Amino acid sequence: MSPRIRLHKAIAQAGIASRRKAEKLIASGKVKVNGKIVKKQGVIVEPSRDAIEVLGGKISPFAKRKYYFLLNKPVGYVTTTKDPRRRKTVMELIPDIKGLFPVGRLDKNTTGLLLITNDGELAYRLTHPKFEIEKVYNAEVDGDITESELKKLEKGVYIDGKRTSPCKIKILNKAAVQLRIHEGRKRQVRRMFEAIGYRVLKLDRIEYAGIRAGIKRGACRKLRPSEIKDLKE
Ligand code: URA
C-alpha cells in the first residue's frame, strides 16, 4: 500500500511535472482520479489504489527511474518541453527520454546552466522561492556602470512594485558584472538592470545551486551522484 498523499504531490512523484505545474494541470481540468475530473486542490489520493490520469495518460504509482541532466544552453533555444510557435526548444539538446522537463527557465537569449530532470519533487524544491537556491550570472550591459549604481542593485531595486532581495555583485570589467542571486523572478536579471537604466546584451548562468558546467555550450551531461546528493540535501 502506498501512502495517502495530495494529488499534486502524487503527480510530481510520478515524474510528470513539478508540484507547481501539477497544480496548474489540476486547475485546468487535465487530471482525472478514478475516471472523474478533479479541479480542486488538496484532494488526497492513494497512488497504488486510485487511478490517476494526467492529460489522458495513466500515471504509474511506482517510482520511476530518475534522470538528472545539466545542459549548457546556447542562445536561441526556448526553455519549454513544447513550443506552440514551433521554435527550437532545449529538449532538442538532451537525450530523448519521456517525462523530462527543465527546472525553472532561462530566456531564449540567455546562455548557461539549466537542469533537466523527471524528478518533480526535486524540481519543486529547487524552484520554490522559500528554498532560496543560489544562481550566479555573468551579465554584459550597454554602458559603463558606476559603483553607486551597482550598490543600488546589491541593495535591491523595484520590479513590478516589489523590491528584489539583496544580492552579491562582483565587477568583471566596466560593462560586465557577476551577480549572485537567490530569487528566480521572470527575466529578473534583465529587469534589475532595466531598473537602473541599462540593457543586458549578454547573460550567462555560470552556476546553479553550487553546480558548475565543465561542458561546452550546447552540450549536456549527466549530473554526478555527488551533485545529485548535494542538491537533495
Ligand atoms: N534573469 C533573466 O533576466 N533572464 C534569465 O534567463 C535568467 C535570469
Side-chain angles (χ1 to χ4, degrees):
M1 195 176 86
S2 61
R4 288 164 58 76
I5 53 176
R6 284 169 187 251
L7 181 55
H8 71 303
K9 192 169 174 192
I11 296 169
Q13 275 184 358
I16 309 289
S18 67
R19 281 198 210 178
R20 277 202 278 181
K21 187 98 193 280
E23 283 176 339
K24 285 189 187 156
L25 288 167
I26 294 168
S28 58
K30 305 276 175 22
V31 179
K32 280 187 187 169
V33 178
N34 300 324
K36 281 200 184 126
I37 293 178
V38 172
K39 282 191 171 180
K40 218 171 79 185
Q41 303 295 335
V43 167
I44 304 291
V45 291
E46 196 176 311
S48 65
R49 295 178 66 168
D50 293 315
I52 303 168
E53 284 170 65
V54 180
L55 294 163
K58 198 156 176 281
I59 70 168
S60 163
F62 306 106
K64 274 204 202 136
R65 178 164 175 203
K66 300 284 193 282
Y67 295 94
Y68 306 89
F69 293 103
L70 186 71
L71 171 69
N72 189 345
K73 179 188 168 305
V75 158
Y77 286 78
V78 286
T79 306
T80 179
T81 48
K82 245 191 194 148
D83 185 50
R85 290 162 58 191
R86 296 176 152 250
R87 292 171 298 178
K88 292 185 289 188
T89 78
V90 292
M91 305 312 282
E92 293 167 36
L93 303 168
I94 58 157
D96 187 15
I97 297 170
K98 208 169 152 238
L100 293 179
F101 58 87
V103 178
R105 66 185 290 281
L106 290 177
D107 301 333
K108 184 168 165 237
N109 289 327
T110 300
T111 55
L113 300 193
L114 184 68
L115 211 65
I116 300 190
T117 184
N118 60 350
D119 185 340
E121 280 298 296
L122 183 68
Y124 168 76
R125 283 195 271 144
L126 292 174
T127 49
H128 197 290
K130 77 176 173 193
F131 296 107
E132 300 197 343
I133 297 301
E134 198 167 69
K135 300 125 199 161
V136 184
Y137 295 91
N138 286 348
E140 278 179 43
V141 298
D142 63 345
D144 297 351
I145 314 172
T146 64
E147 283 283 341
S148 68
E149 286 166 334
L150 285 181
K151 285 269 172 299
K152 274 192 209 161
L153 276 189
E154 257 179 346
K155 280 193 191 152
V157 290
Y158 282 87
I159 299 181
D160 292 339
K162 190 171 170 253
R163 196 173 181 153
T164 57
S165 297
C167 67
K168 288 188 198 130
I169 295 192
K170 198 165 100 186
I171 298 174
L172 301 175
N173 63 51
K174 272 185 174 299
V177 293
Q178 187 168 97
L179 288 90
R180 193 171 278 271
I181 64 176
H182 57 71
E183 291 173 298
R185 290 159 67 183
K186 200 169 176 197
R187 297 186 66 251
Q188 170 143 358
V189 176
R190 294 178 198 274
R191 290 194 295 162
M192 283 171 74
F193 280 99
E194 278 161 23
I196 58 161
Y198 292 88
R199 204 160 69 84
V200 170
L201 303 177
K202 273 190 186 167
L203 187 60
D204 186 31
R205 181 151 76 187
I206 60 155
E207 194 180 310
Y208 182 84
I211 296 175
R212 293 210 162 218
I215 43 172
K216 284 197 197 128
R217 194 77 76 210
C220 167
R221 71 164 167 90
K222 276 189 183 164
L223 284 192
R224 291 184 270 275
S226 62
E227 290 171 327
I228 299 168
K229 187 166 164 271
D230 287 348
L231 282 183
K232 290 186 174 176
E233 280 165 5

PDB file of all heavy atoms in Angstrom, residues 105-107 110 137 185 187-191 203, ligand 1:
ATOM      1  N   ARG A 105      13.536  28.349 -15.712  1.00  0.00           N
ATOM      2  CA  ARG A 105      13.712  28.703 -17.119  1.00  0.00           C
ATOM      3  C   ARG A 105      14.834  29.714 -17.321  1.00  0.00           C
ATOM      4  O   ARG A 105      15.173  30.464 -16.406  1.00  0.00           O
ATOM      5  CB  ARG A 105      12.409  29.241 -17.709  1.00  0.00           C
ATOM      6  CG  ARG A 105      11.940  30.553 -17.131  1.00  0.00           C
ATOM      7  CD  ARG A 105      10.598  30.937 -17.691  1.00  0.00           C
ATOM      8  NE  ARG A 105      10.652  31.327 -19.089  1.00  0.00           N
ATOM      9  CZ  ARG A 105      11.047  32.511 -19.510  1.00  0.00           C
ATOM     10  NH1 ARG A 105      11.477  33.426 -18.663  1.00  0.00           N
ATOM     11  NH2 ARG A 105      11.036  32.795 -20.782  1.00  0.00           N
ATOM     12  N   LEU A 106      15.385  29.653 -18.522  1.00  0.00           N
ATOM     13  CA  LEU A 106      16.298  30.698 -18.974  1.00  0.00           C
ATOM     14  C   LEU A 106      15.648  31.310 -20.209  1.00  0.00           C
ATOM     15  O   LEU A 106      15.060  30.593 -21.025  1.00  0.00           O
ATOM     16  CB  LEU A 106      17.665  30.106 -19.354  1.00  0.00           C
ATOM     17  CG  LEU A 106      18.546  29.587 -18.214  1.00  0.00           C
ATOM     18  CD1 LEU A 106      19.825  28.970 -18.768  1.00  0.00           C
ATOM     19  CD2 LEU A 106      18.896  30.696 -17.219  1.00  0.00           C
ATOM     20  N   ASP A 107      15.778  32.627 -20.371  1.00  0.00           N
ATOM     21  CA  ASP A 107      15.211  33.285 -21.557  1.00  0.00           C
ATOM     22  C   ASP A 107      15.848  32.709 -22.816  1.00  0.00           C
ATOM     23  O   ASP A 107      16.962  32.182 -22.781  1.00  0.00           O
ATOM     24  CB  ASP A 107      15.537  34.788 -21.563  1.00  0.00           C
ATOM     25  CG  ASP A 107      14.997  35.496 -20.346  1.00  0.00           C
ATOM     26  OD1 ASP A 107      13.998  35.024 -19.785  1.00  0.00           O
ATOM     27  OD2 ASP A 107      15.600  36.518 -19.973  1.00  0.00           O
ATOM     28  N   THR A 110      19.332  33.862 -23.182  1.00  0.00           N
ATOM     29  CA  THR A 110      20.267  33.634 -22.071  1.00  0.00           C
ATOM     30  C   THR A 110      20.959  32.301 -22.319  1.00  0.00           C
ATOM     31  O   THR A 110      20.342  31.354 -22.809  1.00  0.00           O
ATOM     32  CB  THR A 110      19.500  33.582 -20.726  1.00  0.00           C
ATOM     33  OG1 THR A 110      18.821  34.810 -20.534  1.00  0.00           O
ATOM     34  CG2 THR A 110      20.443  33.350 -19.561  1.00  0.00           C
ATOM     35  N   TYR A 137      25.157  34.640 -12.310  1.00  0.00           N
ATOM     36  CA  TYR A 137      25.056  35.074 -13.710  1.00  0.00           C
ATOM     37  C   TYR A 137      26.176  36.040 -14.037  1.00  0.00           C
ATOM     38  O   TYR A 137      26.523  36.890 -13.217  1.00  0.00           O
ATOM     39  CB  TYR A 137      23.746  35.834 -13.944  1.00  0.00           C
ATOM     40  CG  TYR A 137      22.508  35.014 -13.778  1.00  0.00           C
ATOM     41  CD1 TYR A 137      21.873  34.940 -12.538  1.00  0.00           C
ATOM     42  CD2 TYR A 137      21.956  34.323 -14.845  1.00  0.00           C
ATOM     43  CE1 TYR A 137      20.715  34.178 -12.379  1.00  0.00           C
ATOM     44  CE2 TYR A 137      20.799  33.566 -14.696  1.00  0.00           C
ATOM     45  CZ  TYR A 137      20.186  33.498 -13.454  1.00  0.00           C
ATOM     46  OH  TYR A 137      19.043  32.756 -13.306  1.00  0.00           O
ATOM     47  N   ARG A 185      12.699  35.401 -10.263  1.00  0.00           N
ATOM     48  CA  ARG A 185      11.527  36.012 -10.928  1.00  0.00           C
ATOM     49  C   ARG A 185      11.774  36.085 -12.426  1.00  0.00           C
ATOM     50  O   ARG A 185      12.920  36.078 -12.881  1.00  0.00           O
ATOM     51  CB  ARG A 185      11.293  37.399 -10.330  1.00  0.00           C
ATOM     52  CG  ARG A 185      10.798  37.258  -8.895  1.00  0.00           C
ATOM     53  CD  ARG A 185      11.018  38.485  -8.078  1.00  0.00           C
ATOM     54  NE  ARG A 185      10.217  39.589  -8.525  1.00  0.00           N
ATOM     55  CZ  ARG A 185      10.284  40.803  -7.989  1.00  0.00           C
ATOM     56  NH1 ARG A 185      11.124  41.048  -6.994  1.00  0.00           N
ATOM     57  NH2 ARG A 185       9.532  41.760  -8.436  1.00  0.00           N
ATOM     58  N   ARG A 187      12.646  36.957 -15.960  1.00  0.00           N
ATOM     59  CA  ARG A 187      13.579  37.928 -16.554  1.00  0.00           C
ATOM     60  C   ARG A 187      14.208  38.805 -15.466  1.00  0.00           C
ATOM     61  O   ARG A 187      14.418  39.990 -15.672  1.00  0.00           O
ATOM     62  CB  ARG A 187      12.874  38.792 -17.599  1.00  0.00           C
ATOM     63  CG  ARG A 187      12.342  37.999 -18.789  1.00  0.00           C
ATOM     64  CD  ARG A 187      11.772  38.900 -19.873  1.00  0.00           C
ATOM     65  NE  ARG A 187      12.767  39.719 -20.499  1.00  0.00           N
ATOM     66  CZ  ARG A 187      12.870  41.030 -20.332  1.00  0.00           C
ATOM     67  NH1 ARG A 187      12.038  41.680 -19.554  1.00  0.00           N
ATOM     68  NH2 ARG A 187      13.815  41.703 -20.942  1.00  0.00           N
ATOM     69  N   GLN A 188      14.485  38.204 -14.322  1.00  0.00           N
ATOM     70  CA  GLN A 188      14.910  39.005 -13.176  1.00  0.00           C
ATOM     71  C   GLN A 188      16.153  39.849 -13.425  1.00  0.00           C
ATOM     72  O   GLN A 188      16.163  41.041 -13.139  1.00  0.00           O
ATOM     73  CB  GLN A 188      15.150  38.100 -11.963  1.00  0.00           C
ATOM     74  CG  GLN A 188      15.828  38.832 -10.816  1.00  0.00           C
ATOM     75  CD  GLN A 188      15.346  38.406  -9.473  1.00  0.00           C
ATOM     76  OE1 GLN A 188      14.457  37.566  -9.357  1.00  0.00           O
ATOM     77  NE2 GLN A 188      15.922  38.975  -8.442  1.00  0.00           N
ATOM     78  N   VAL A 189      17.205  39.226 -13.946  1.00  0.00           N
ATOM     79  CA  VAL A 189      18.466  39.974 -14.087  1.00  0.00           C
ATOM     80  C   VAL A 189      18.284  41.105 -15.103  1.00  0.00           C
ATOM     81  O   VAL A 189      18.682  42.253 -14.868  1.00  0.00           O
ATOM     82  CB  VAL A 189      19.618  39.033 -14.498  1.00  0.00           C
ATOM     83  CG1 VAL A 189      20.889  39.817 -14.742  1.00  0.00           C
ATOM     84  CG2 VAL A 189      19.836  37.969 -13.425  1.00  0.00           C
ATOM     85  N   ARG A 190      17.652  40.788 -16.227  1.00  0.00           N
ATOM     86  CA  ARG A 190      17.441  41.831 -17.252  1.00  0.00           C
ATOM     87  C   ARG A 190      16.634  42.990 -16.672  1.00  0.00           C
ATOM     88  O   ARG A 190      16.938  44.159 -16.891  1.00  0.00           O
ATOM     89  CB  ARG A 190      16.724  41.244 -18.470  1.00  0.00           C
ATOM     90  CG  ARG A 190      17.583  40.212 -19.209  1.00  0.00           C
ATOM     91  CD  ARG A 190      16.849  39.603 -20.385  1.00  0.00           C
ATOM     92  NE  ARG A 190      17.481  38.369 -20.813  1.00  0.00           N
ATOM     93  CZ  ARG A 190      18.505  38.317 -21.672  1.00  0.00           C
ATOM     94  NH1 ARG A 190      18.971  39.407 -22.212  1.00  0.00           N
ATOM     95  NH2 ARG A 190      19.059  37.151 -21.984  1.00  0.00           N
ATOM     96  N   ARG A 191      15.610  42.662 -15.890  1.00  0.00           N
ATOM     97  CA  ARG A 191      14.770  43.735 -15.347  1.00  0.00           C
ATOM     98  C   ARG A 191      15.462  44.494 -14.215  1.00  0.00           C
ATOM     99  O   ARG A 191      15.211  45.671 -14.003  1.00  0.00           O
ATOM    100  CB  ARG A 191      13.425  43.173 -14.896  1.00  0.00           C
ATOM    101  CG  ARG A 191      12.595  42.744 -16.118  1.00  0.00           C
ATOM    102  CD  ARG A 191      11.160  42.501 -15.773  1.00  0.00           C
ATOM    103  NE  ARG A 191      11.031  41.374 -14.869  1.00  0.00           N
ATOM    104  CZ  ARG A 191       9.945  41.133 -14.135  1.00  0.00           C
ATOM    105  NH1 ARG A 191       8.905  41.926 -14.209  1.00  0.00           N
ATOM    106  NH2 ARG A 191       9.902  40.090 -13.350  1.00  0.00           N
ATOM    107  N   LEU A 203      23.756  37.446 -21.344  1.00  0.00           N
ATOM    108  CA  LEU A 203      23.532  36.925 -19.995  1.00  0.00           C
ATOM    109  C   LEU A 203      23.843  35.433 -19.990  1.00  0.00           C
ATOM    110  O   LEU A 203      23.327  34.680 -20.819  1.00  0.00           O
ATOM    111  CB  LEU A 203      22.060  37.172 -19.595  1.00  0.00           C
ATOM    112  CG  LEU A 203      21.693  36.840 -18.156  1.00  0.00           C
ATOM    113  CD1 LEU A 203      22.525  37.666 -17.169  1.00  0.00           C
ATOM    114  CD2 LEU A 203      20.202  37.122 -17.899  1.00  0.00           C
TER     115      LEU A 203
HETATM  116  N1  URA B   1      17.327  36.524 -15.453  1.00  0.00           N
HETATM  117  C1  URA B   1      16.955  36.932 -16.676  1.00  0.00           C
HETATM  118  O1  URA B   1      16.690  38.108 -16.896  1.00  0.00           O
HETATM  119  N2  URA B   1      16.909  36.020 -17.655  1.00  0.00           N
HETATM  120  C2  URA B   1      17.211  34.722 -17.480  1.00  0.00           C
HETATM  121  O2  URA B   1      17.148  33.947 -18.428  1.00  0.00           O
HETATM  122  C3  URA B   1      17.596  34.309 -16.203  1.00  0.00           C
HETATM  123  C4  URA B   1      17.645  35.226 -15.207  1.00  0.00           C
END
